Amino acid sequence: RLARGYRGLRVEALKLAEYIARLGELIVDNPEVAEVDVNPLALTRDGRLLALDAKVRLASQPQGGP
């Protein structure tokens, strides 16, 4: 919905792609992160993306380690 517009607001595709890339970097930089759930992701009137709720599940052992 954010990409198409919602309640008169519309997110720039580049900002959404940047958000997704940064979330990916967080996961790559922290191998103990097994899962991330962000819902909902809101768009503020000034065009910022804001995670209203997020859950992070950690793995019992970091991936890629010895």
Side-chain angles (χ1 to χ4, degrees), residues 1-53:
R1 280 189 176 178
L2 286 175
R4 293 189 317 262
Y6 183 69
R7 295 186 181 173
L9 300 174
R10 189 178 178 123
V11 68
E12 294 177 30
L14 186 58
K15 284 186 181 182
L16 184 56
E18 180 182 310
Y19 174 85
I20 293 168
R22 290 177 70 189
L23 187 57
E25 288 174 9
L26 172 92
I27 294 167
V28 168
D29 292 345
N30 297 280
E32 65 274 14
V33 174
E35 182 178 341
V36 176
D37 178 20
V38 178
N39 188 19
L41 182 61
L43 177 63
T44 65
R45 294 229 176 255
D46 61 358
R48 293 180 301 129
L49 291 170
L50 180 63
L52 299 180
D53 186 30

